[in-house]
Amino acid sequence: MRHWLMKSEPEAFSIDDLERVGTEPWNGVRNYQARNFMRDGMRPGDGVLFYHSNCAVPGVVGVAEVASEAYPDPTQFEQASPYFDPRARPDAPRWMLVDVRFKRKLARTIRLAELRAQPRLEGFALLQRGSRLSVLPVTRGQWDLILALENQPRGLP
DNA sequence: GCCAACGTTGGC
DNA sequence: GCCAACGTTGGC
């Protein structure tokens, strides 16, 4: 089993929203690298760190799992959707997604600042300078380390 | 194939 | 709200 991190802006779709719906098609990803991770890397059952971005306290807030193989993102064909892509055709889809299933909320938010303070997370894709990838791989070691922080009092200022 | 202009992401 | 960093687009 592999591990991943997926970002979402909580004002658009939060961990509480995922808990409410249970399983959600991860639509709207319009970045080739992120698409390729979903299409070529993800398998059902893979672990997902759910990350809140572009908000007051960015950080990891929950655990989810990949709940499907990749399949074409239907919103690319929907003219009324903000994710509509006129270059996409049903027989030649450009964008893929997977379903994501809620597992649990973390006891506390593992803040971005706290992750940055971990020397052992050097090289973690999330922390690369200027990285804006919304779907990215997490090694087993990074996964274990990040989740171990959950039960520590509070990592940083 | 180069690269300037533009739009977007996302931390702060 | 600001702005740095990045990806994409399109003229040439």
Side-chain angles (χ1 to χ4, degrees), chain A residues 55-97:
Chain A
C55 58
V57 185
V60 177
V61 294
V63 177
E65 68 178 354
V66 176
S68 75
E69 299 283 350
Y71 61 95
D73 180 344
T75 63
Q76 69 193 300
F77 308 121
E78 297 167 5
Q79 218 144 349
S81 168
Y83 303 129
F84 177 67
D85 185 343
R87 301 161 301 180
R89 307 177 23 153
D91 60 342
R94 300 171 74 92
W95 305 110
M96 307 288 281
L97 56 69

Side-chain angles (χ1 to χ4, degrees), chain A residues 1 41-47 65-70 98-99 101:
Chain A
M1 145 168 153
M42 288 189 177
R43 295 292 175 271
D46 284 359
E65 68 178 354
V66 176
S68 75
E69 299 283 350
V98 297
D99 293 342
R101 180 184 300 124

Side-chain angles (χ1 to χ4, degrees), chain A residues 15 18 46-50 62-66 100-104 143:
Chain A
I15 188 68
L18 185 62
D46 284 359
V48 173
L49 295 174
F50 195 103
V63 177
E65 68 178 354
V66 176
V100 175
R101 180 184 300 124
F102 178 83
K103 298 264 286 190
R104 67 183 184 89
W143 175 274

Side-chain angles (χ1 to χ4, degrees), chain A residues 104-120:
Chain A
R104 67 183 184 89
K105 284 170 73 171
L106 297 192
R108 66 184 187 86
T109 299
I110 312 297
R111 288 157 301 142
L112 175 61
E114 198 173 335
L115 298 176
R116 287 199 189 283
Q118 302 295 323
R120 294 196 52 217

